[in-house]
Amino acid sequence: MGNREKAIGELLSKIADELNITSTMQDKAVQSYHAVGDWIGRGIDYDVKIMPQGSMNLGTIIKPIDDSDDYDIDLVCLLEDGQQLEAEKIKEIIGDRLKNNTTYKMKMRREGKRCWTLDYEEFHMDILPCIPNDKYFAEPKFTDIKLTHKNDSGIYEFRYSNPWSYHKWFENRMLDILLTEKRILAKRNQVEIEAVPTYKIRTPLQQTIQLLKRHRDICFQENHENEPISIIITTLSALAYNGETNLYDALCQILRCMSQYIIKRNGEYWIENPVMKEENFADKWNIEPQKYLAFTKWLKQAEKEIIEDPLSAFGLDNISQKYQKSLGEAPVKRAIEKMGNATREKREGANLYINGLTGGLTTQASSVSTLVGDHTFYGD
């Protein structure tokens, strides 16, 4: 990897960090869903298990484009011993219990097709009522769930999912680097490695997905109905990821290879749920072909705007301008500012060198590098 690719990778990593929600926001969300789970569990005659799912759980959540908008936290509310309940009754039990709390009742939106939604200041919480699909729920083998779904006719029916297994599958796609980063964080915080949640880690796969989701959000601001859904971006990215240890290489690999995992079955597009083979994440593409065309067009655009155009641009200002258009002005400007601050601190600490062979900046001294002196801003 050349200096230009390395520098672009470092900038993209900083941008991805700006897209990620802060540790304070993470902790607030976790405290909130534990409180909801505790309230539900103390008031009904069923054993309740609350589990995060989706992007929060995977560490791929992103802030909204507009800072005034909120982000979403997805939760599974499992009635572990409610196997005999009908879909409508499961939804009703959870909804009624939430309405019995004055605070939660004020936060509740109207009933959704699958979830009850609570609005908080910075995020909204989607709570998915469900029961075990097997005789009982037990990790790691018996984790299939039956979830409630209210169709367009107002009829409640069951759908099927397995967020626990999907989370484990996603972790396994980046296991080596994930465990390495977890060990570092566990040592720093003096906790067991099992106590470090995946959403606290920043791997190249997680950051790639965040960048692609933000690029998608910007590209489809005027065409929401055809935007690629997050589960498709996440699944294809994880399948294409090949263990790259830096963000630039991971992005190149994923953007180049992710379309290879879209297959055809009996003339239909298929993106198989890796933990539930009968589920097709691309099922709507076969009903609305324009969604598939929109995805393939967006994928080419992402590769051009995230990799190709910045690579051919001259100077940080030009690169920054390109990323502001494709990834958003605010996160790119914040990333550039933080990179500048870090460079200044290293220079002021006499720890920044010019590489005599390439002319690039480095923090590593060598026989061909020259120490960069302090800026006095007096022309000296």
Side-chain angles (χ1 to χ4, degrees):
M1 182 191 300
N3 285 337
R4 178 177 287 270
E5 289 85 353
K6 184 177 180 181
I8 288 176
E10 290 174 355
L11 173 57
L12 285 169
S13 182
K14 291 289 190 298
I15 295 171
D17 286 342
E18 292 302 318
L19 297 176
N20 196 40
I21 64 174
T22 65
S23 291
T24 300
M25 294 164 77
Q26 289 174 344
D27 293 341
K28 182 178 179 180
V30 171
Q31 291 170 5
S32 297
Y33 78 66
H34 279 311
V36 169
D38 181 64
W39 170 258
I40 294 173
R42 286 190 288 110
I44 62 177
D45 295 327
Y46 296 92
D47 293 330
V48 175
K49 182 179 182 67
I50 289 281
M51 301 179 291
Q53 65 165 338
S55 58
M56 171 70 181
N57 201 27
L58 302 176
T60 60
I61 196 168
I62 60 172
K63 298 172 184 173
I65 294 176
D66 188 334
D67 288 339
S68 65
D69 292 337
D70 61 355
Y71 60 94
D72 66 301
I73 302 296
D74 296 314
L75 297 180
V76 168
C77 183
L78 180 73
L79 304 184
E80 293 190 76
D81 50 349
Q83 291 87 339
Q84 304 304 316
L85 293 170
E86 295 297 326
E88 183 174 3
K89 188 63 177 178
I90 298 166
K91 190 81 169 290
E92 178 185 302
I93 289 171
I94 303 303
D96 286 349
R97 178 57 181 164
L98 290 170
K99 292 171 187 175
N100 284 337
N101 182 299
T102 303
T103 299
Y104 294 149
K105 185 176 182 179
M106 292 176 62
K107 294 179 181 293
M108 286 182 75
R109 297 183 187 175
R110 295 180 62 181
E111 180 185 359
K113 286 188 175 182
R114 297 188 176 185
C115 297
W116 293 107
T117 299
L118 303 180
D119 284 318
Y120 289 79
E121 184 176 351
E122 295 175 322
F123 60 89
H124 63 267
M125 184 185 299
D126 290 332
I127 303 168
L128 179 68
C130 60
I131 58 175
N133 189 36
D134 299 296
K135 293 181 179 179
Y136 49 85
F137 183 94
E139 302 165 1
K141 290 187 177 181
F142 303 100
T143 54
D144 285 1
I145 61 171
K146 291 198 293 188
L147 55 95
T148 62
H149 178 83
K150 187 177 183 180
N151 64 31
D152 293 338
S153 300
I155 304 299
Y156 292 84
E157 56 193 22
F158 282 120
R159 298 290 174 86
Y160 303 88
S161 186
N162 196 327
W164 189 93
S165 289
Y166 187 92
H167 179 257
K168 297 305 294 183
W169 171 82
F170 184 79
E171 287 185 325
N172 285 334
R173 295 300 303 163
M174 54 178 183
L175 191 58
D176 289 344
I177 193 168
L178 179 69
L179 290 178
T180 297
E181 294 299 321
K182 281 192 174 187
R183 289 189 189 100
I184 294 171
L185 194 57
K187 184 176 181 180
R188 184 185 307 153
N189 294 324
Q190 297 183 327
V191 297
E192 296 295 326
I193 189 171
E194 293 80 9
V196 179
T198 296
Y199 64 78
K200 290 288 187 181
I201 304 302
R202 311 289 292 132
T203 69
L205 175 57
Q206 291 168 311
Q207 290 183 310
T208 292
I209 293 169
Q210 289 178 310
L211 290 166
L212 293 180
K213 286 166 65 174
R214 170 45 55 89
H215 186 271
R216 179 240 5 228
D217 289 349
I218 289 177
C219 285
F220 287 87
Q221 286 186 88
E222 306 299 327
N223 187 20
H224 287 299
E225 63 272 14
N226 288 322
E227 68 178 22
I229 59 176
S230 292
I231 192 64
I232 285 180
I233 294 174
T234 301
T235 302
L236 292 180
S237 295
L239 287 168
Y241 179 65
N242 199 31
E244 290 77 15
T245 57
N246 65 78
L247 178 56
Y248 182 85
D249 285 346
L251 265 166
C252 290
Q253 165 69 17
I254 288 169
L255 284 168
R256 184 174 64 249
C257 298
M258 64 193 299
S259 62
Q260 298 174 13
Y261 295 92
I262 303 169
I263 63 175
K264 277 287 193 76
R265 287 186 185 175
N266 300 319
E268 292 189 340
Y269 295 110
W270 264 84
I271 300 173
E272 185 180 273
N273 181 341
V275 299
M276 293 189 73
K277 305 300 183 184
E278 68 277 10
E279 182 174 12
N280 177 16
F281 289 143
D283 56 351
K284 290 186 178 179
W285 289 3
N286 300 302
I287 303 171
E288 304 173 74
Q290 71 273 15
K291 292 183 182 293
Y292 169 74
L293 296 175
F295 176 83
T296 55
K297 181 181 178 181
W298 165 73
L299 195 57
K300 293 176 182 178
Q301 185 177 348
E303 185 171 7
K304 181 178 185 296
E305 294 182 349
I306 298 177
I307 299 296
E308 294 173 3
D309 289 351
L311 196 59
S312 62
F314 182 78
L316 185 59
D317 286 343
N318 287 328
I319 294 172
S320 172
Q321 288 297 322
K322 291 185 179 298
Y323 281 140
Q324 286 182 47
K325 292 179 181 178
S326 61
L327 298 173
E329 182 177 337
V332 174
K333 283 186 173 180
R334 289 196 296 262
I336 292 288
E337 181 181 0
K338 288 184 178 179
M339 286 185 70
N341 290 340
T343 301
R344 185 176 63 254
E345 289 173 3
K346 290 170 183 174
R347 180 190 295 116
E348 293 172 352
N351 193 30
L352 190 66
Y353 299 83
I354 296 178
N355 190 310
L357 297 177
T358 66
L361 294 176
T362 176
T363 57
Q364 301 297 318
S366 72
S367 59
V368 293
S369 62
T370 304
L371 181 66
V372 178
D374 286 349
H375 279 304
T376 61
F377 301 104
Y378 301 115
D380 298 333

